[in-house]
Amino acid sequence: MASADKNIYFIVIANPSVGYIEAGEICFIDKDLYERKKENTDRLPVTLVHMGRSMHTDIDKLLLRPLKLRSAELLLALESNTDRLVALNDPKALEEASNLSLDSRVCVEYNGKWLKGVIRYIGNIKSYSYEPITGAFFGVELQGEDTGKGQNNGSYLHKTCFTCPNNSGIFAPFTRIKPVDHKPSAPPLPTQSSPSMTSTEPLIVGDRVTFFGDKNAHHGMVMAIKDSPDGKMVLISTDKDEEGKQGGEMTVPLDCVIKEELLNKDETEKMDTSQSPEMGGVPDTEDISVGSLVQFIVGKKISYGIVRWIGYLPDYPEKSALLEVEDGSGVSDGTYKGKQYFKCPPQSGLFVKLSICRPDDRFSAAKEKEFNGNSDKASVYVEEENVPPIRTEDVSKRLIGRMKGIQGHCNSCYMDSALFSVFSCSSVLDSLLFKSTQDQTIQSILLKSIVNPLRKHGFVPERSVMNLRKQLQNRERCPTYTTDEKDPEEFLSLIMQEILSLDPPLKLCSPSGSGHKEQSCYYYQIFMDYNHHLVLPTVQQLLEHSFFSNSLKLAEVPACLILTMPRSGKSFKMFPKIIPSIELDITGLLVDGPQPCVLCGQLANEECAECFSDTLFSDTGFKYFCLKCSTQVHSHKHRRCHKTTSLHLPQGFSYSQSSGSDPRTPPREKLELFAVLCIETSHYVSFVKYGPRDTDWIFFDSMADRVGESNGYNIPEVRACPEVGQYLHMSLAQLANQVPREMEGVAKRLFCDGYMYLYQSKSMSLYR
């Protein structure tokens, strides 16, 4: 870093005329050179060197903003140019991060949650670099109850930056770091003689505030903060005035608004979370109680949350509620100025007036006093209107968040993950929901209590799934369906085959002699012999090897193909990693389909089974050749003894007999991956591909968190996981070098724990 101080650093704030430079890139120039250029050419381009590139270019000085050395290092840790520009617009956060030092207590964001820890390292995490500066990351050791929730032991890519217990270290850029403020400053209380006092703390949505209008003081909650030609304005939802008139929304200059003092002056007194008289706890109301799911309006948006505390706050006459909000729009962790009313994740707690809360209308049919999922008497939520799969553009607002997806209960994760994977964003098996059947009760529960609510509201309570499990058990299909864990393929086969009598989507055949022996099934279990040479296989390779070793072919293109991976029980995995094939090319697996020659691509005449494992010609397993290419391939001394078999063509395809005409090129049949079920330590989760982009992936866990013990309930969660697309684009060599515990986000689960892969044919599903 010795040479770093000899340079001046900049960030490009707008795209220059040259196309290979983008806004957001970090650049530098030698100080002496800059002074000479500055004196001679004040407004002409200066020569800079781009970080990460061995190249020089000229950029107009008007497009550059100078940076301090530490700011340049912090911004350089952000991979995206867009992220750097966004971070540049928050100078306070950049300054706070610049002032952080070793042993500072911070909160670090990881997998959507804020965890507490201590900074143990600040600097580069790469093994080497040829640039004068590199991105500055923060190495955080998680502490307290968050110990063990991280991703490493202080090492990154075999470089040890600090030491800590396993899975207790996290490396993060400054945008995922927040300093812990032990001494929050309290604004002075307003007085009649000082009506224009500005709070010393920044206002945020949800804050209780006081302001002066007309002759009286008014109180309310911040709905929004907006810029205007006259300065910053605050939109406030006001309370009732002194005459009892209902308040409304008012826009007030920021200078006229201050925060209310909601708690006692003794800010350091610690209190527990029980409903004690000292906490101001009050008995539950008839409609809303602790544990209720509620909705409330912030601005023009409806927000949702779980009531964690109800009571009277000192110095505030109206009954209040502490909500744990779903969308992360809270302002605290359940603590106000040193007093903790309930412990929840950072920026998830919000104190509001109880009067603005309404029962969550997404579950209005269920009149439970406390949402804990254990009431047998509770009615099951029913959605009569048929709802299509959730569209790509609606996933983020309808499906992602806590209390989203299907709520798990009592070993139901296999069923929750299977139902979410099949029905949330795909319609390939929707025929199950509408076909004529004698068992209309189970079909109705599946459609109206699970699929429709999931697609319309993004949530299914556990009682709906339990009702389905009870129906399966009552029909003596299996006496332990309400208590024990099953395999997802067992459950799907039961629903499709024995109960709803769906025609098997998969038809296999064993080519032999003059005919084909056909068999139908609902899913395919991949079996592997031990003579294979696969180390880091793709799903494509596993399927081809399994078909080859078992002499199987597809009789037709399936609308839906469900594959389970080779494994023995829940503990033994044949491969430590399996790479999902985003597209599954089944052209070579079709028994009577036209096949392209693996060498020239034209219509093939022959198949050679003995060339299957030979990767010289093609990465695909099955080898098909036209006559010309087959003659050339089998003229080699190692292949002269191979026996080829002639292919049967469907009607409409014929071999060209004239050397002057072009043979027809056969089409390729491909299936799309739309979901993956994973299992680790007897718990199923799922990944769903919900859109066309590489980053359109979501991760679902029906039991991501839990509230309470034996009488508590599980909190399901759906999170976006765009990092999956990054790994799927890596080469095999790059993936082989990935250390699972160091993979970003939840990607490790997809590659190391994949159990069931679901593929669909968009064209064939239209006819089934």
Side-chain angles (χ1 to χ4, degrees):
M1 291 275 184
S3 61
D5 294 335
K6 297 180 180 180
N7 299 315
I8 297 178
Y9 297 88
F10 302 90
I11 183 171
V12 183
I13 59 175
N15 289 329
S17 56
V18 289
Y20 52 83
I21 303 172
E22 296 181 357
E25 293 198 53
I26 306 294
C27 315
F28 65 89
I29 185 174
D30 180 82
K31 285 183 178 180
D32 295 336
L33 177 61
Y34 177 73
E35 290 300 326
R36 293 197 302 270
K37 290 279 186 178
K38 180 180 179 181
E39 294 174 0
N40 299 329
T41 56
D42 189 31
R43 298 188 61 82
L44 294 179
V46 295
T47 303
L48 300 173
V49 180
H50 291 264
M51 301 303 303
R53 298 181 182 176
S54 298
M55 57 178 293
H56 297 260
T57 188
D58 292 339
I59 303 179
D60 195 306
K61 288 165 52 179
L62 294 176
L63 304 181
L64 301 173
R65 181 182 296 182
L67 296 172
K68 296 178 181 178
L69 173 60
R70 173 55 72 182
S71 297
E73 291 174 329
L74 292 172
L75 290 170
L76 199 57
L78 304 176
E79 294 186 1
S80 165
N81 291 331
T82 302
D83 289 345
R84 292 177 191 152
L85 293 173
V86 171
L88 189 67
N89 290 326
D90 191 358
K92 182 179 178 181
L94 197 57
E95 181 180 358
E96 286 182 346
S98 299
N99 294 330
L100 290 174
S101 59
L102 297 181
D103 299 327
S104 295
R105 294 191 174 276
V106 295
C107 287
V108 55
E109 188 273 330
Y110 181 60
N111 284 343
K113 298 181 180 179
W114 288 94
L115 309 176
K116 295 179 180 179
V118 175
I119 294 177
R120 299 301 190 198
Y121 177 81
I122 304 176
N124 174 35
I125 59 176
K126 296 182 180 179
S127 299
Y128 58 88
S129 176
Y130 299 107
E131 301 296 346
I133 67 167
T134 55
F137 289 81
F138 291 90
V140 179
E141 179 183 354
L142 301 180
Q143 295 195 335
E145 62 183 15
D146 292 329
T147 300
K149 297 181 180 179
Q151 61 180 157
N152 55 55
N153 62 354
S155 299
Y156 183 82
L157 295 179
H158 309 294
K159 176 183 178 181
T160 300
C161 300
F162 65 97
T163 57
C164 67
N166 287 337
N167 296 323
S168 294
I170 293 177
F171 291 100
F174 79 97
T175 51
R176 290 168 49 199
I177 299 290
K178 290 184 179 180
V180 175
D181 187 5
H182 293 288
K183 298 181 179 180
S185 59
L189 287 172
T191 63
Q192 292 287 352
S193 60
S194 58
S196 182
M197 302 174 64
T198 303
S199 171
T200 59
E201 297 182 13
L203 289 178
I204 51 180
V205 173
D207 278 347
R208 293 286 309 171
V209 294
T210 295
F211 64 97
F212 291 87
D214 301 324
K215 296 181 293 183
N216 300 316
H218 297 270
H219 310 277
M221 185 172 70
V222 176
M223 297 288 104
I225 302 174
K226 304 176 180 178
D227 290 319
S228 75
D230 299 325
K232 289 197 176 287
M233 306 293 287
V234 184
L235 178 65
I236 301 172
S237 176
T238 62
D239 305 340
K240 293 180 180 178
D241 61 20
E242 287 80 354
E243 299 178 358
K245 295 181 180 179
Q246 182 64 45
E249 290 188 351
M250 296 183 64
T251 301
V252 181
L254 179 62
D255 291 341
C256 298
V257 179
I258 68 169
K259 290 185 179 181
E260 287 186 355
E261 288 290 305
L262 295 181
L263 304 180
N264 289 332
K265 295 180 181 179
D266 183 8
E267 298 179 3
T268 59
E269 179 185 1
K270 299 299 181 182
M271 308 188 76
D272 59 27
T273 59
S274 62
Q275 298 295 305
S276 62
E278 291 79 7
M279 287 295 291
V282 297
D284 295 342
T285 60
E286 181 178 356
D287 295 328
I288 297 176
S289 63
V290 174
S292 294
L293 294 177
V294 296
Q295 64 185 43
F296 58 101
I297 297 178
V298 178
K300 297 182 179 180
K301 175 186 175 184
I302 298 178
S303 296
Y304 302 93
I306 304 173
V307 178
R308 296 306 191 190
W309 176 87
I310 296 175
Y312 290 101
L313 296 169
D315 302 326
Y316 185 67
E318 195 167 345
K319 189 181 292 186
S320 302
L322 168 60
L323 306 181
E324 183 177 354
V325 293
E326 289 184 3
D327 54 6
S329 61
V331 297
S332 75
D333 62 352
T335 301
Y336 268 134
K337 301 188 183 301
K339 293 185 178 181
Q340 188 157 46
Y341 283 64
F342 183 86
K343 186 172 182 59
C344 57
Q347 294 188 313
S348 295
L350 184 66
F351 283 93
V352 299
K353 295 182 296 182
L354 183 60
S355 60
I356 73 168
C357 298
R358 298 289 182 270
D360 192 334
D361 61 10
R362 296 176 298 176
F363 318 108
S364 57
K367 302 297 183 180
E368 293 181 274
K369 281 218 165 193
E370 182 174 347
F371 188 84
N372 58 15
N374 293 323
S375 175
D376 291 335
K377 297 180 181 179
S379 59
V380 174
Y381 182 72
V382 174
E383 178 60 57
E384 295 287 347
E385 178 187 2
N386 294 329
V387 185
I390 301 175
R391 298 183 303 173
T392 301
E393 57 269 28
D394 294 332
V395 165
S396 60
K397 62 183 179 182
R398 188 179 304 176
L399 202 55
I400 292 178
R402 287 166 61 85
M403 292 303 290
K404 293 291 186 178
I406 302 175
Q407 186 183 31
H409 176 63
C410 194
N411 295 319
S412 67
C413 60
Y414 73 96
M415 188 178 293
D416 307 328
S417 298
L419 291 171
F420 184 87
S421 298
V422 170
F423 293 113
S424 61
C425 302
S426 174
S427 61
V428 67
L429 289 179
D430 274 15
S431 57
L432 279 172
L433 308 173
F434 305 109
K435 70 182 300 293
S436 299
T437 178
Q438 295 181 348
D439 205 328
Q440 296 183 356
T441 301
I442 287 181
Q443 187 183 51
S444 178
I445 292 173
L446 186 61
L447 173 62
K448 298 178 181 180
S449 298
I450 296 177
V451 177
N452 284 343
L454 175 64
R455 291 174 173 177
K456 185 172 184 178
H457 306 296
F459 178 79
V460 178
E462 63 83 13
R463 59 184 176 270
S464 296
V465 178
M466 179 57 75
N467 192 29
L468 175 62
R469 297 169 75 182
K470 287 179 179 178
Q471 292 295 327
L472 296 175
Q473 182 166 289
N474 292 340
R475 283 164 171 71
E476 298 182 353
R477 307 291 182 182
C478 180
T480 58
Y481 251 101
T482 58
T483 57
D484 293 356
E485 181 179 306
K486 308 294 179 184
D487 291 326
E489 66 270 26
E490 175 187 348
F491 162 66
L492 291 175
S493 294
L494 176 64
I495 290 290
M496 290 190 290
Q497 181 177 3
E498 297 186 34
I499 296 179
L500 299 181
S501 303
L502 182 74
D503 291 336
L506 185 58
K507 291 180 170 57
L508 305 175
C509 63
S510 300
S512 60
S514 58
H516 304 316
K517 184 179 180 181
E518 189 173 301
Q519 55 181 322
S520 301
C521 52
Y522 292 87
Y523 70 95
Y524 180 72
Q525 168 72 62
I526 291 180
F527 293 98
M528 299 290 294
D529 58 41
Y530 288 90
N531 295 322
H532 66 82
H533 301 288
L534 299 176
V535 177
L536 185 62
T538 64
V539 175
Q540 177 86 41
Q541 291 173 321
L542 292 175
L543 181 61
E544 289 175 345
H545 277 72
S546 183
F547 267 43
F548 177 75
S549 60
N550 292 282
S551 300
L552 293 175
K553 290 290 183 71
L554 290 172
E556 61 183 29
V557 177
C560 180
L561 177 59
I562 301 176
L563 302 174
T564 57
M565 293 299 102
R567 61 193 303 157
S568 177
K570 295 169 184 173
S571 58
F572 170 75
K573 292 187 288 187
M574 183 173 288
F575 301 99
K577 291 180 188 174
I578 295 176
I579 303 175
S581 299
I582 299 301
E583 281 190 333
L584 201 62
D585 191 337
I586 61 170
T587 309
L589 306 181
L590 294 169
V591 64
D592 282 332
Q595 302 295 339
C597 174
V598 296
L599 294 181
C600 68
Q602 301 302 329
L603 192 62
N605 305 75
E606 298 177 345
E607 176 185 2
C608 181
E610 294 173 270
C611 286
F612 177 84
S613 58
D614 197 333
T615 59
L616 178 63
F617 317 112
S618 170
D619 291 333
T620 58
F622 290 89
K623 301 299 188 297
Y624 301 97
F625 302 97
C626 65
L627 292 178
K628 180 179 179 181
C629 292
S630 179
T631 301
Q632 293 177 343
V633 166
H634 294 100
S635 63
H636 192 278
K637 61 180 180 180
H638 293 309
R639 304 187 195 93
R640 290 173 185 169
C641 59
H642 288 189
K643 295 181 179 179
T644 61
T645 56
S646 298
L647 298 177
H648 299 280
L649 292 180
Q651 186 176 2
F653 279 86
S654 61
Y655 298 109
S656 174
Q657 300 298 321
S658 170
S659 60
S661 61
D662 294 329
R664 298 183 61 179
T665 301
R668 306 203 71 87
E669 295 289 351
K670 295 182 179 181
L671 306 181
E672 298 178 1
L673 178 67
F674 70 92
V676 181
L677 271 70
C678 303
I679 180 173
E680 181 184 28
T681 61
S682 299
H683 180 62
Y684 286 95
V685 296
S686 65
F687 291 83
V688 172
K689 183 78 162 60
Y690 67 89
R693 296 177 301 179
D694 297 334
T695 55
D696 290 341
W697 284 89
I698 52 178
F699 172 77
F700 167 62
D701 186 347
S702 65
M703 303 178 184
D705 200 357
R706 185 168 179 81
V707 174
E709 300 298 332
S710 58
N711 293 325
Y713 56 92
N714 292 309
I715 297 179
E717 182 178 18
V718 180
R719 68 173 72 167
C721 51
E723 67 273 10
V724 167
Q726 167 192 343
Y727 289 101
L728 289 173
H729 270 287
M730 288 185 177
S731 65
L732 291 180
Q734 289 175 309
L735 282 172
N737 291 328
Q738 292 294 317
V739 179
R741 59 187 174 85
E742 294 180 357
M743 297 177 78
E744 288 291 327
V746 293
K748 176 252 183 188
R749 306 288 299 273
L750 178 65
F751 288 90
C752 299
D753 302 328
Y755 177 70
M756 175 184 286
Y757 295 76
L758 292 86
Y759 288 87
Q760 62 184 352
S761 169
K762 290 294 185 67
S763 57
M764 291 304 299
S765 61
L766 299 175
Y767 303 98
R768 300 297 173 89

